[in-house]
Structures are given as structure tokens and as C-alpha cells.
């Protein structure tokens, strides 16, 4: 198996945020909204909060919790949830479980929160049915639950109520991409008369054109806006970054791309930072942008924080950031796929399986990379035995062979997984040969990082199966890790080094709880060249080390 991150391409598509959260950003305020776009939920929130503070009880706490979640006011929601948890004896059991989910969210609890948000949004829509922001939020909640048709209906109503609002147009475009309608997303922006005057919309049009494989309509307008500095830096951050990404993919555009990235970083959005961290990893953009400092000063940059931590090999922080990213974009498969990737590196196979189920729930199916990572995790877990799981093992084998025969991009990934299958259930020699084939294909056709991770897990399986070639394969993995500078691979190689010495501790070493033990490596002590003296004894020279006991001679 070669662990591989999620979908390789990232475009600077607009963020799809809850309206109350988006209202605090520059993208929402860049153009004035039509008069009919009103938000009454904020006034209701203030009223409920005043009631709770004046006379706190379980009833007002429940109401404040629901509205705070809809408003995106996380601190207030947790405060109300804590009050309910403290007074659990006076509250219905379902309310207590919901309150606890707001404090200690896992994916099942987050799902319960989303369902509650749908109910809250429905109540607000009954009071204000012409509010496009609420319809957009309702679409977001339905998409998070995997109800695509309902989400589509709600988003089209929102777009009908605010057809000229910049934020609504970008949100709808992002939604259509999520619905696998990139052509529709691009057509919406390319054909709207407002796009050519709005840098936010042009940035979105460029990104949607890339996703749909079309030629951008406003490429010339984008470059003119950047040339004449008509807008404040916060309004061209994503535009400059979108143009930079297209320059990176063109011939000889790297120098201009770097200048544009610097423009985008003058007042970056969290989307800009995430795109540039991705470009550094995938497109070898280089350093010198001060990204870490910018990241500290940018709100809600969960994806960028994940990518930074992963690049540095801090897998625990990367996992925490990716899980927060999942909460911030509950409708999206990518953050869940990244959680699954990190979980596999941490040997948390249950979490990897959970993320695959979540993606299938919201999208109907998992993409090939996530599917292969989930198979890797299933085989690595050690819970499948020939005695009890013959049918499942046969199905896994058939699915891997089928993926290889189709000769798609994930074929090398399937070859590596088949190597794992043979190491565990077939023959060591077949497993070794398949892994080596996967490593060669990955290095030639994909990336050094992919080849490195294939080699790392080939080394793990060789050590576990006591393959006589294990030392050679481990050296190969370490050489590739050094060349690729892949911190995640270096982390896992430290596990394998200890595993080779202490195979009886396999359950402790290959477990999620061991992560902190292997995240950092102490710097080796500086070895000093020992002083020594030479003397002649019986016609021969004898070297005596200073620490030698009497009689020790070399």
C-alpha cells in the first residue's frame, strides 16, 4: 500500500460558509446586497441571549444553544451547552446528548447538530421565507446530511431571491461544483453581468473554469484589475492567487506566479493561505512568504493549519486541524479524506473507516484514493483472519486486481495494497515483488513522496513477516524519505526502527496512542574522538583507550 493524500488538485474555489459567519468577511461586504436581503436571526439571538442571562434555565439555554449554532457563535453555543450539562437532571435526555455533542463533537454528534440546525433554519424561514441567506444555510445543512436534491432546491431558491448578490453568486457556484456540476457553476459566473466588475467573482470564475476544463472568460479582466490596483488588497487576495495558480501550471510562469502570490498575501483570506500551502507542497512553490506568521493572524484557517502541520510532520496537530476543518465544512469530502489519511499514518484504523463512511453518506461514494486508503487501513488493522473472514478477504483481493486491470491512476496504489495482502495472507515473496513494482511506478509516474510511502509500508510488512530482505527494504525507504523530505514518512520509519528491535511490542508501537513517542527525535549526541596512547609491548604496538580497564588492549 502507498498511502496517498486526497484529490491531488486544489482550486481556489469560493468558501461555502454559513451566512452569519460569511457576513464578517471581506468577500461578503465587498458589494452592497440588494434591499430584500435581510437577516433577522441576529436580532432573535440577542433577544434570547438577554433572556438567558437575565433568568438562566434549561429552556432558555436550549433555545440559545440552537440559535447560537445557527449563527456560528461557537463560544456562546458551548456556554449554553455547558449550562445544560451541569443541569442534566432537569433536562430531557435528548437535549443533554445534544448539549454534550456541542462540547465534545465527534462525527455522529456533529450529525445530530446538523439535524438540529435544519430544524432551527426551518423555524426561522417560517418567520422570514424571503431571506436568501437562510435558504443558503438550509442548503448547506442538507448537503452536510447527504440530501442533495433538497440542498439543490434550497440553493436555487436562495439564488432566485438574491440573483445579483456577489456572495450568493459565489456560494451558489461553490455549491454547484460540490454537486458535480462544474459546467453549471462556470456558466453562472461567466454569463452574469456583474462578474467582470467584481474581483471576487472573477477569481471564482477562473477557479470554476479550471475545474470544468474550460477557458476562463475573464482572464484579461483579471490581469487588468491586478495591473491597475483598483481594489484594496483584501478584495484581490483570491484573484491574485487564482491567477498565480494558472501561471504556475503554464510554461515559464513561475517568476510571475511568485509575485502574484506576494500580492495575494498582503491581506490573505483563509482560502488564499490554504491554496498557497497546497501549492508549496504540490507545485514546489518555494519559501520566503512568511506563511506561518500570516497563519497565526488569520481567523478560521483550518485547512492551512492542517497543511502546515502535515508538512512539518506534526501529525497530532494536523489531525486536530483537519477534524476542525471537517466541522467548518461538514458538506465536503476533502477534509474527511485528509483525516482518514492522517489516521492511517497514526494507525487509527477505526477513524479511517469512519471517515470513509462519512464521505459515502454525503457524496454517495468515496473517491478512489480514499477507497484505497480505507482498504489499506482495513488490511493493516490485523482484525481480518483467514479462518473468520475468507469472503471479505476474497472480495478485497478481487477489487484490487480489478483496479489494477483497469489501469487507472490508482492502479499503483492497488498494486501496493495487493503487496500488503500477500504479505499478510499470501506469500512473502509475492508481497515483496508487488511492493517493489508499486514503488517503481510511483517514482516514475507520480511523485517521490508516493514512492516513499509505498517503501515505508513495504518495510513495515517486511519487518512484521520477518522477511530476510527487511533490512534492505528499510534502507530503501529511508533513502527515499531523505530524498523526498517527507516528514510523515520519517515519523513512521521511527516506528519501524523500534519495531525491528522490539517485535513483541507491535501492538503498542502500531497504535494511535504511540504517536507522541515518535513525533520528535532527540538530536544525536556529538561524539568526541577519544584520546588514546600507544605503547610497544613485546615487539608489537598496543593502542590503549582512556576508558579501558586494566588488561583491556586492542
Amino acid at each position: 500500500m502507498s498511502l496517498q493524500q486526497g484529490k491531488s488538485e486544489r482550486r481556489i474555489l469560493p468558501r461555502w460558509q454559513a451566512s452569519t459567519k460569511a457576513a464578517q468577511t471581506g468577500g461578503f461586504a465587498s458589494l452592497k446586497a440588494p434591499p430584500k436581503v435581510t437577516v433577522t436571526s441576529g436580532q432573535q439571538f440577542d433577544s434570547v441571549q438577554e433572556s438567558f442571562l437575565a433568568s438562566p434555565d434549561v429552556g432558555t439555554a436550549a433555545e440559545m444553544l440552537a440559535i447560537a449554532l445557527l449563527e456560528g457563535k461557537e463560544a456562546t453555543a458551548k456556554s449554553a451547552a455547558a449550562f445544560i450539562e451541569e443541569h442534566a437532571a432537569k433536562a430531557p435526555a435528548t437535549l443533554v446528548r445534544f448539549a454534550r455533542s456541542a462540547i465534545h463533537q465527534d462525527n455522529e454528534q456533529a450529525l445530530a447538530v446538523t439535524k438540529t440546525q435544519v430544524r432551527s433554519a426551518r423555524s426561522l424561514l417560517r418567520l422570514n421565507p424571503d431571506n436568501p441567506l437562510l435558504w443558503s444555510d438550509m442548503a448547506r445543512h442538507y448537503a452536510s446530511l447527504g440530501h442533495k436534491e433538497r440542498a439543490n432546491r434550497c440553493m436555487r431558491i436562495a439564488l432566485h431571491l438574491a440573483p445579483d448578490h456577489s456572495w450568493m453568486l459565489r456560494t451558489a457556484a461553490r455549491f454547484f461544483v460540490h454537486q458535480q456540476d462544474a459546467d453549471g457553476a462556470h456558466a453562472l459566473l461567466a454569463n452574469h453581468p456583474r462578474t467582470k466588475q467584481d474581483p471576487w467573482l472573477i477569481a471564482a470564475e477562473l477557479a470554476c473554469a479550471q475545474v470544468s476544463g474550460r477557458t476562463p472568460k475573464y482572464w484579461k479582466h483579471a490581469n487588468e484589475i491586478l495591473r491597475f490596483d483598483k481594489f484594496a488588497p483584501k478584495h484581490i487576495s483570491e484573484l491574485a492567487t487564482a491567477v498565480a495558480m494558472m501561471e504556475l501550471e503554464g510554461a515559464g510562469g513561475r517568476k510571475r506566479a511568485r509575485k502574484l502570490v506576494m500580492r495575494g498575501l498582503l491581506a490573505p483570506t483563509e482560502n488564499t493561505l490554504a491554496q498557497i500551502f497546497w501549492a508549496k507542497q504540490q507545485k514546489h512553490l518555494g519559501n520566503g512568504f512568511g506563511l506561518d506568521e500570516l497563519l497565526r493572524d488569520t481567523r478560521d484557517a483550518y485547512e492551512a493549519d492542517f497543511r502546515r502541520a502535515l508538512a512539518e510532520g506534526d501529525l497530532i496537530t494536523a489531525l486536530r486541524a483537519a477534524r476542525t476543518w471537517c466541522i467548518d465544512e461538514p458538506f465536503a469530502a476533502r477534509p474527511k479524506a485528509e483525516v482518514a489519511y492522517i489516521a492511517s499514518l497514526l494507525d487509527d484504523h477505526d477513524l479511517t473507516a469512519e471517515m470513509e463512511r462519512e464521505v459515502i453518506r454525503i457524496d454517495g461514494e468515496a473517491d478512489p484514493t480514499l477507497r484505497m486508503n480505507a482498504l489499506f487501513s482495513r488490511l493493516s488493522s490485523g482484525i481480518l483472519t483467514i479462518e473468520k473472514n475468507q469472503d471479505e478477504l476474497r472480495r478485497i483481493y478481487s477489487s484490487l486486481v480489478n483496479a489494477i486491470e483497469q489501469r487507472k491512476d490508482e492502479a499503483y496504489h492497488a498494486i501496493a495494497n495487493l503487496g500488503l495482502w500477500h504479505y499478510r495472507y499470501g506469500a512473502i515473496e509475492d508481497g515483496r515483488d508487488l511492493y517493489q513494482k508499486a514503488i517503481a511506478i510511483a517514482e516514475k509516474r507520480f511523485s517521490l513522496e508516493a514512492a516513499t510511502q509505498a517503501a515505508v509500508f513495504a518495510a513495515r510488512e517486511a519487518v512484521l513477516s520477518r522477511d530476510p530482505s527487511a533490512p534492505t527494504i528499510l534502507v530503501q525507504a529511508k533513502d527515499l524519505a531523505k530524498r523526498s523530505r517527507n516528514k510523515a514518512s520519517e515519523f513512521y520509519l521511527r516506528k519501524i526502527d523500534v519495531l525491528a528491535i522490539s517485535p513483541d511490542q507491535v501492538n503498542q508501537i502500531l497504535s494511535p496512542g504511540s504517536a507522541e513517542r515518535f513525533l520528535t527525535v532527540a538530536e544525536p549526541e556529538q561524539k568526541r574522538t577519544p584520546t588514546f596512547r600507544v605503547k610497544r609491548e613485546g615487539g608489537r604496538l598496543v593502542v590503549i583507550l582512556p576508558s579501558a580497564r586494566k588488561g583491556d588492549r586492542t
Side-chain angles (χ1 to χ4, degrees), residues 233-244:
K234 70 176 181 179
H235 295 309
I236 63 168
S237 175
E238 295 192 12
L239 179 62
T241 306
V243 174

Side-chain angles (χ1 to χ4, degrees), residues 49 52-53 61 64-65 68 73-86 99 102-103:
Q49 187 176 41
F52 175 75
L53 294 175
M64 187 170 79
L65 173 59
K73 298 182 183 295
E74 184 179 348
T76 304
K78 289 191 173 182
S79 176
F83 180 89
I84 294 170
E85 193 171 31
E86 289 171 8
I103 302 174

Side-chain angles (χ1 to χ4, degrees), residues 138-452:
M138 181 70 88
R140 191 172 185 271
H141 298 325
Y142 275 135
S144 303
L145 294 170
H147 300 326
K148 292 189 174 184
E149 291 185 7
R150 294 178 183 177
N152 186 59
R153 187 162 54 248
C154 291
M155 182 57 74
R156 291 189 181 279
I157 292 172
L159 190 59
H160 173 75
L161 291 170
D164 299 318
H165 192 279
S166 174
W167 177 81
M168 188 60 68
L169 287 165
R170 289 185 299 114
T171 296
R174 174 66 183 85
F175 170 77
F176 292 143
V177 171
H178 175 70
Q179 294 283 85
Q180 306 300 316
D181 185 13
D183 289 345
H186 181 250
L188 172 68
L189 298 174
N191 297 327
H192 201 284
R194 187 165 191 168
T195 300
K196 65 181 179 181
Q197 302 169 356
D198 188 324
W200 294 90
L201 291 176
I202 294 177
E205 190 266 330
L206 297 183
C208 289
Q210 285 184 294
V211 176
S212 65
R214 294 173 177 269
T215 301
K217 180 176 180 179
Y218 292 106
W219 175 254
K220 182 178 179 180
H221 288 79
N223 284 279
E224 286 178 353
I225 286 173
L226 294 173
R227 185 182 302 118
F228 295 111
D229 286 327
K230 293 182 178 180
F231 297 92
K234 70 176 181 179
H235 295 309
I236 63 168
S237 175
E238 295 192 12
L239 179 62
T241 306
V243 174
M245 295 303 104
M246 297 187 79
E247 291 286 0
L248 272 179
E249 295 181 7
R254 187 167 296 274
K255 184 176 180 180
R256 182 168 187 253
R258 188 174 178 85
K259 291 180 179 179
L260 288 166
V261 166
M262 297 299 290
R263 290 277 300 277
L265 291 175
L266 290 175
T269 65
E270 80 282 2
N271 198 14
T272 294
L273 287 174
Q275 186 71 37
I276 293 171
F277 269 107
W278 173 86
K280 277 174 57 64
Q281 295 165 3
Q282 300 290 330
K283 303 294 183 182
H284 307 293
L285 185 59
N287 299 313
F289 298 111
L291 292 176
D292 289 351
E293 185 176 350
L294 289 169
L295 184 56
R296 285 192 294 270
D297 295 335
T298 305
R299 289 183 56 195
D300 305 330
Y302 309 122
E303 181 186 351
D305 195 31
F306 156 74
R307 296 189 182 282
R308 176 200 58 78
L310 179 61
E312 294 177 357
D314 185 355
L315 299 185
I316 292 178
T317 298
L319 179 61
R320 187 183 307 118
R323 299 201 75 163
T324 309
W325 178 18
C326 283
I327 295 171
D328 190 53
E329 295 189 16
F331 57 86
R334 186 190 286 266
K336 294 175 178 59
E338 299 291 16
V339 168
Y341 170 73
I342 298 295
S344 295
L345 289 171
L346 296 175
D347 294 302
D348 192 343
H349 305 303
D350 289 342
L351 181 56
T352 299
E354 180 186 344
M355 290 298 102
E356 184 191 30
R357 289 193 297 270
E358 282 290 300
V359 169
I360 292 172
R361 180 180 59 78
I362 63 174
D363 275 357
E365 62 178 357
D367 72 79
T369 295
L370 176 56
R371 207 161 53 238
M372 286 297 162
N373 279 347
L375 283 176
F376 161 81
S377 196
R378 183 75 171 152
L379 292 170
S380 297
S381 67
I383 63 175
L384 300 178
T385 65
I386 294 177
E387 293 77 14
K388 296 181 179 180
N389 306 98
Q390 279 192 22
D391 290 343
E392 182 176 357
L393 288 171
R394 195 177 292 113
R395 284 195 300 271
I396 292 174
Y397 183 90
S398 297
S399 69
L400 293 174
V401 171
N402 184 55
I404 294 168
E405 290 176 345
Q406 290 180 5
R407 297 180 178 274
K408 294 184 178 180
D409 285 348
E410 66 271 17
Y412 92 93
H413 202 158
I415 292 170
N417 272 352
L418 195 58
L420 169 57
W421 192 99
H422 276 289
Y423 260 121
R424 295 290 174 107
Y425 308 106
I428 289 176
E429 187 173 339
D430 289 338
R432 182 197 314 135
D433 291 345
L434 284 163
Y435 260 120
Q436 290 303 314
K437 184 176 181 180
I439 293 166
I441 293 173
E443 188 171 4
K444 182 178 180 180
R445 291 184 52 197
F446 295 95
S447 69
L448 194 58
E449 289 80 3
T452 299

Side-chain angles (χ1 to χ4, degrees), residues 313 315-316 347 487-488 490-499 505 508-511 513-521:
L315 299 185
I316 292 178
D347 294 302
K487 300 293 185 182
E490 291 174 3
F491 158 81
Y492 211 94
L493 282 169
R494 293 194 283 273
K495 284 190 173 189
I496 298 173
D497 279 337
V498 176
L499 183 64
Q505 296 181 20
Q508 291 77 30
I509 296 168
L510 302 183
S511 72
S514 72
E516 291 188 7
R517 176 181 174 188
F518 298 103
L519 275 180
T520 57
V521 181

